[in-house]
Amino acid sequence: MKLATQSAWPFFLVPLVVLADQLSKWSVLAEPRLNALNCLNGMEYCGRIVVPGPLDLTMTWNRGMSYGLFQSDGIGRWILAGVMLAIALGFLVWLVRAEGRWLKLALALVIGGAFGNLIDRVRFGAVVDFIDANGLFFPWIFNVADAAISVGAVLLFVDQFLLSRPKQANNL
């Protein structure tokens, strides 16, 4: 199946999301005040940087999925990584077959975010989370990949349930 140039943009967006996510995490891992690598084993305190505005930088390691669900170590880490990979690949197949800008955008964001977090899970056994929106009364700490997945999921919902119109039967 040959992809037309005008329909290939989602396949360029996926690595851009991964790159943005990994660059932001690289910055966090390199910041000594966040003590990221030293707190990976849970024996040391992870750091926090208070910045003006509603967002702070608070380093945490998420060993589970979104919002800390399904925390796992050991073999569970690899099972979780396998599940995440299977889901991302399933969405990638969906993206290849997808029609419509909003659907392609949604799927590209979800896939890019999934691969960004998968890289962390394989590399560290946990995902780097650092965006603390507690000033906005949002209790979870997240990252760029999580944000992409969340925005993609909302767009997917909008596309599938609000923008899609049922196809009319030809024989009416």
Side-chain angles (χ1 to χ4, degrees):
M1 171 185 286
K2 184 178 176 184
L3 292 174
T5 305
Q6 65 183 2
S7 65
W9 64 266
F11 298 97
F12 293 105
L13 180 58
V14 170
L16 287 176
V17 170
V18 173
L19 184 63
D21 176 65
Q22 289 298 301
L23 285 174
S24 67
K25 291 172 179 174
W26 175 80
S27 297
V28 166
L29 293 172
E31 172 54 57
R33 293 177 290 172
L34 294 174
N35 197 33
L37 293 175
N38 292 328
C39 71
L40 177 58
N41 64 7
M43 301 302 283
E44 289 189 35
Y45 174 75
C46 291
R48 180 171 193 210
I49 300 172
V50 177
V51 295
L55 301 177
D56 290 328
L57 299 176
T58 303
M59 177 60 216
T60 63
W61 289 99
N62 182 352
R63 297 184 190 287
M65 291 182 80
S66 296
Y67 307 112
L69 297 174
F70 308 115
Q71 295 288 316
S72 61
D73 267 332
I75 189 71
R77 160 192 179 184
W78 297 107
I79 292 170
L80 192 53
V83 169
M84 290 172 63
L85 178 61
I87 291 169
L89 292 175
F91 273 73
L92 191 58
V93 169
W94 188 5
L95 177 59
V96 168
R97 299 175 179 172
E99 294 182 19
R101 267 186 230 160
W102 290 107
L103 178 58
K104 290 177 182 180
L105 175 61
L107 292 170
L109 289 171
V110 170
I111 294 164
F115 279 119
N117 282 341
L118 184 60
I119 290 168
D120 289 7
R121 175 127 2 252
V122 169
R123 192 170 164 208
F124 301 111
V127 174
V128 176
D129 284 340
F130 59 93
I131 303 170
D132 186 346
N134 200 22
L136 297 172
F137 305 105
F138 186 78
W140 297 283
I141 299 171
F142 59 99
N143 59 44
V144 172
D146 295 337
I149 292 168
S150 296
V151 170
V154 169
L155 290 175
L156 188 59
F157 176 84
V158 168
D159 179 75
Q160 295 296 295
F161 295 106
L162 301 179
L163 296 179
S164 296
R165 293 185 176 92
K167 295 181 181 181
Q168 296 177 348
N170 292 333
N171 56 359
L172 286 180

